[in-house]
Amino acid sequence: MPHDTSRLIAEHIESLYGRPRAELEAHADSTSHPNMLSALLAAHAAVEFAERDLDFQLQRLRQLTHPEREVSRYTAGHLHDCARRIGEAVAVRDTQAQHVTAVLQSLHRAPAVETTPAATVAPPVPAAPATAATPARTR
């Protein structure tokens, strides 16, 4: 199931850096030191993971609550565990999304550097002629 939260974050990151996410991830992986891009991509990955976990737990909850399935005391424990994990996944997703969105809103794409025609360079000024005047030697 597609989630708007991670999709919107990915679109904002792509818009900010002006490149597709796959290229940005490759670039972030190729650098040896952490930077803002790698932090944004890591936060986005945490949101995506929470959304996948949420999907998995919802699917598991639907299996456990299927109308043809008998609910035993073991099933009740699984239901409780599933509900707890859904709550955790939602909390992680919302917290990560809130923080990464705040960071993204504080960042703006830098304007493209305009290439202006090279300033006209004045021709070099000729050096003043050296004077041959040397003091006269007296003996």
Side-chain angles (χ1 to χ4, degrees):
M1 165 167 51
H3 292 274
D4 287 338
T5 306
S6 63
R7 183 184 54 79
L8 291 173
I9 291 171
E11 288 174 0
H12 199 144
I13 292 170
E14 289 173 344
S15 171
L16 182 65
Y17 285 90
R19 293 157 87 194
R21 193 174 89 192
E23 284 182 31
L24 294 173
E25 288 172 347
H27 176 71
D29 290 342
S30 69
T31 60
S32 60
H33 58 281
N35 55 32
M36 181 59 74
L37 175 59
S38 59
L40 290 171
L41 291 173
H44 177 259
V47 171
E48 279 186 322
F49 180 78
E51 288 175 340
R52 283 193 308 272
D53 189 36
L54 182 57
D55 287 343
F56 174 79
Q57 295 302 330
L58 285 171
Q59 180 182 5
R60 179 73 177 130
L61 186 61
R62 287 185 186 109
Q63 291 172 347
L64 292 169
T65 59
H66 191 273
E68 296 176 5
R69 185 179 177 119
E70 184 180 323
V71 177
S72 67
R73 72 179 177 171
Y74 297 109
T75 307
H78 289 293
L79 288 168
H80 181 272
D81 186 53
C82 235
R84 180 185 58 79
R85 289 175 188 242
I86 288 170
E88 289 173 356
V90 169
V92 167
R93 180 199 61 198
D94 292 350
T95 302
Q96 288 288 338
Q98 182 181 16
H99 288 113
V100 75
T101 300
V103 170
L104 284 169
Q105 288 174 348
S106 73
L107 300 173
H108 302 284
R109 185 176 175 137
V113 178
E114 292 184 26
T115 55
T116 58
T120 55
V121 178
V125 178
T131 57
T134 57
R137 286 187 151 181
T138 56
R139 286 193 182 189

